[in-house]
Amino acid sequence: MSPTFVVAHCDLVSDLLQQLLEGNSDTHLIVCATRDEFLVQLTAAIRSLRADPDTAARHDLLTKTIGLLARSSKIRLAFCASLESLRAYLAVFGPTVGVTTEGGALAHDRKLLAVLDMMALHATTSEFSAQGLSRTLASVVEASSRAGMDLRLYECMDALDPSSGVKGRKLWDVNVPLLNGSVQIRLDQNSWDGRGVTVKRVAERWFEFD
């Protein structure tokens, strides 16, 4: 079966980790930020969860169980804090080693490549354009196909500043210019002066939106 390419939705980093843990699949998570930035976001998200006792009681990240530890061992993390490092990482990303079951046979369940905040990584650069986004999206699709892994993209909101315009699912609706380095005049948070296309429209060439 061919790999699937999906844009999925999670509001906070903690929700993403919860979803990956519940999936219980061998997962390679690429975080488009530094390790420290990721931990800051995760800490802020967990604090917001603890403020709501009902939500906290249902969240695996706030429980200490053997099951949580077992499932978390199936998730590998990589941090790419720039477009250059992300593209270089994807260029050498290859098939993962098969997981051995208790009986000694190799498990052939579909593995998952998840990428967090790829659009946000572009948002503050000159490559936040159809050309720049297409280059990176094509690279991540090629990498996941080469490794035989399903692919999901996530854009989580800024847990420290939920109204931020450069993080979160709202980025999919931003209108961007066609080419890198185009003369760009930003009219408001979601549009550019001149011919452009939405980020979602660019991504729909390869991805289905969940």
Side-chain angles (χ1 to χ4, degrees):
M1 187 172 70
S2 300
T4 60
F5 310 123
V6 175
V7 173
H9 295 301
C10 285
D11 286 332
L12 296 170
V13 172
S14 54
D15 299 326
L16 166 59
L17 293 181
Q18 172 86 5
Q19 187 178 117
L20 296 180
L21 288 169
E22 289 177 346
N24 200 29
S25 299
D26 289 318
T27 300
H28 198 108
L29 173 60
I30 301 175
V31 179
C32 296
T34 65
R35 181 177 180 274
D36 288 344
E37 289 169 342
F38 175 73
L39 291 177
V40 166
Q41 287 294 318
L42 181 57
T43 300
I46 289 176
R47 283 176 179 165
S48 67
L49 287 174
R50 284 178 171 160
D52 184 349
D54 292 335
T55 302
R58 300 192 302 270
H59 213 290
D60 283 353
L61 293 182
L62 301 181
T63 62
K64 296 180 180 179
T65 66
I66 293 176
L68 174 62
L69 293 173
R71 294 196 301 274
S72 65
S73 66
K74 293 188 174 184
I75 300 176
R76 298 179 61 190
L77 282 173
F79 297 95
C80 297
S82 68
L83 280 178
E84 292 76 15
S85 62
L86 174 62
R87 288 168 177 168
Y89 189 82
L90 292 173
V92 298
F93 189 83
T96 55
V97 178
V99 178
T100 304
T101 64
E102 291 182 1
L106 288 177
H108 296 288
D109 292 339
R110 176 75 70 188
K111 297 175 177 61
L112 174 66
L113 174 61
V115 185
L116 171 63
D117 289 344
M118 179 187 288
M119 300 303 107
L121 192 63
H122 289 75
T124 56
T125 74
S126 62
E127 295 204 48
F128 196 40
S129 66
Q131 180 184 22
L133 292 170
S134 294
R135 178 184 173 189
T136 311
L137 289 168
S139 295
V140 72
V141 167
E142 180 182 356
S144 67
S145 297
R146 188 168 59 242
M149 303 172 77
D150 288 333
L151 174 61
R152 290 185 202 160
L153 302 185
Y154 298 87
E155 295 293 322
C156 291
M157 71 171 65
D158 188 338
L160 297 172
D161 179 14
S163 64
S164 172
V166 294
K167 286 181 70 71
R169 68 175 67 181
K170 65 184 71 175
L171 286 176
W172 296 112
D173 298 320
V174 173
N175 205 53
V176 296
L178 298 180
L179 301 176
N180 295 343
S182 300
V183 176
Q184 304 164 358
I185 303 175
R186 197 156 193 173
L187 298 177
D188 56 45
Q189 195 172 32
N190 293 314
S191 66
W192 296 92
D193 185 22
R195 188 181 178 191
V197 64
T198 64
V199 175
K200 181 177 181 179
R201 182 71 178 274
V202 176
E204 282 177 334
R205 179 179 178 185
W206 296 276
F207 292 83
E208 294 183 0
F209 279 70
D210 185 1

